[in-house]
Structure formats: C-alpha cells, structure tokens
Amino acid sequence: MFKSMFAMAACALALAAASANGAQDQGPILIKFAHVVADNTPKGQGALLFKRLVAERLAGKVKVEVYANSSLYGDADELEALRNDQVQLLAPSLAKFGQYTKQLQVFDLPFLFDDLDAVNRFQKRAKGRQLLRSMEAQDIVGLAYWHNGMKQLSASKTLLMPTDAAGLSFRIQPSQVLEAQFQQLGAKPLVLPFAEVFNALQKGQVQGAENPWSNIYSKRLHSVQPYITETNHGVLDYMLVSNPRFWYRIPHSIRVELEGIIDEVTYAVNRQAEADNLADRQRIEASGVSQVLSLNAEQREAWRSAMRPVWQRFETEIGADVMKAAQTVNRKQRK
Ligand code: LMR
C-alpha cells in the first residue's frame, strides 16, 4: 500500500516536472495581435511599435505577431477569437463592444465630446478607467485606450445641413447608437465590416460613411467619396484588449514588463494620432480627388441639435453616472 502510494507520488512529480519542462520547451509566449486597419494609421503604428519593443526587451520570452488589414480576423469574428484564445491582443474601436457592455456606447454619442482632448480627459478619469474592466466577466480585459480621432462625414453629395443626409444610406460600425444617429437624420444605416467599406462605397451599396481622416486616407475612401464634411461629430478610439485567462497567466515579471511597454506605446500612439489625422486631412485636400467642406457655426449647431435626441435615448443603458462624467470633460460647458 505504502509502496504504491509512493509510486503514485513519484509519478505525479515526474509529470509535473515534465510539464514544466514542456512549457519551457514550447518556447516564448506567443501574442498574436490582429487589427483591421492599415499599418500607416495610429493603431497600425502602435501595433508595430509594441512588437518592436517586445522584441528588444523580451527576446526569447515573448514573441509578437501583428496581423493588419483584417488578415487574420475581422470585425465579425475577432472578439470571439479573443475570448477563445485564438488571438491574444486586439484594439477594436469602442463602437464594437456593444454585445459585451452597453456602457462604452457613451463614446459613440454624437457631439458629446468637443475634441480629442476632452475624450482623453474622460478616459483618464476614474469612470473612464473603470470601463476598461467592464467586460471581464465576458473574458475581455481592457489594457489601455488608444486614440485615432474625430470622425468626418463623407458622401456622394454635399452635406452641409442635417437634412442633406436624409434618404442616403451610410455604412456604420456595429453600434446601436450609430444606427440611431443616422435614423435621426432620416438616413439609412447599414452595418458593414471595415474591410468591406471601400467596395460598398465604390459600388454604391452605401452613399456615405463616417471615419477619421487616417482611415479615409489609408483606405483611399476619398477616391470613392467626392465630398467630405469636417463634422468632428464623434470619436473613433480603441480599447486595447486581451483575454484575462491568457493575460493573468503570463508570469508576473513578464506581465509587468509588457504592461510597461503598453504604457509607452499608448503614450506614443496618443501623442501621434492627432498629428497623423491632420496630415492625412491635408493629403486628402491636396489630392484634389475629394472636396473637403467645413461647417459654419450655425450649420454645426443644426447638426448638433438634430442628433441630440440620441443622447436621451441611450442614457439609461449607458448609465447616468457615466453620462455625467463624460459631460464634465469639455472645456466649454453646455446646457
Ligand atoms: C471601422 O470599422 O470603421 C473602424 O472601427 C476601423 C478601425 O479599426 O479603425
């Protein structure tokens, strides 16, 4: 009896040792980082910088593979792939988490944030930081916010007043707020994956879209949209996310190093994003392919009032506390 117990314990020890060695033999921890935009965008650059810094500082311990342009997963399947540990890092736009939390819908509300600085203040404050943890029960943990920029409206015709959008169909990200926003204008929203936007505009499946300058320029959307109105009506930012079951199993010292790298990359992306969008706006104007229109104060106010009812509709789902926190970050207080 004693002998067989001893044999079993020895066997268990041998198995444990084998599996520890096995873990080492498996080589570095692999982090697949997938995203849907081009390399020459704020997110694309951020992913490549993350890969470079990991290669420099954690060689042999962690290996990062970056898959841009929806080449591994796209809008339709990337979050499920993350939850199943088939991919370990993503940075979806904040509009793409509606299935997992309603609170992040605050970022889609039109004309809520005056500019990217206001968005930045909200993300840094307690409520914004809490939202990073709002999906942990669904196997999604937020590691950082990354900026892209404010969205502009593009279309096959000039859009100067909100009534100009009526009857047109617009491609949207999968967000109920964005759906309501276009319905409020009498327009037809159509959810399409980012990878399909160029073709949908080219074929006339939709006549308009909303994107930051960097996404318009890097996907040549201006070549199929003769008019772009500089509305800055909403934000397109990202949450860098992982699967907590993967992330918290990374040995502590390595995870701390990775988190330090993420802080550095976040700082770089967020510093660069506004400059990149400004440069891409200028490139689009210089191309002469698409006409860039500006709104005067009266027109802008008309768009704001037309879209404003969307706020009330989503306030309960988002939560009065989140709404209140978001409304305190603009420099100019509004009624
Ligand atoms: C979109 O689908 O328009 C964006 O979320 C794409 C992106 O990741 O910037």
Side-chain angles (χ1 to χ4, degrees), residues 238-254:
Y238 307 110
M239 192 184 283
L240 182 70
V241 288
S242 188
N243 179 331
R245 285 181 290 121
F246 166 79
W247 194 252
Y248 295 119
R249 268 194 210 143
I250 297 175
H252 184 256
S253 60
I254 297 181

Side-chain angles (χ1 to χ4, degrees), residues 17 124 209 304:
K124 288 214 159 108
R304 231 176 77 80

Side-chain angles (χ1 to χ4, degrees), residues 103-115 118-119 122 150 177 181 232-235 300 304 307-308 311 318 322-334:
Q103 292 181 304
L104 288 173
Q105 294 183 129
V106 70
F107 288 103
D108 290 342
L109 290 176
F111 294 103
L112 177 59
F113 299 105
D114 277 353
D115 50 32
V119 176
F122 176 70
M150 302 305 280
V177 173
Q181 168 189 281
N232 289 318
H233 63 280
V235 64
R300 194 172 161 75
R304 231 176 77 80
M307 290 182 174
R308 178 68 187 253
W311 293 21
I318 291 170
V322 177
M323 287 290 293
K324 195 162 165 233
Q327 281 171 279
T328 59
V329 294
N330 288 323
R331 288 257 180 250
K332 280 183 280 160
Q333 288 302 311
R334 294 226 191 82

Side-chain angles (χ1 to χ4, degrees), residues 35-37 43 75 91-96 148 171-174 192-194 197 210-212 215 236 238:
H35 65 82
V36 300
V37 292
K43 176 162 64 179
D75 285 350
S93 125
L94 296 166
K96 292 179 179 165
N148 186 330
R171 176 270 169 171
I172 57 163
Q173 303 176 80
L192 288 174
F194 186 64
V197 179
E210 49 165 11
N211 286 283
N215 283 1
L236 195 156
Y238 307 110

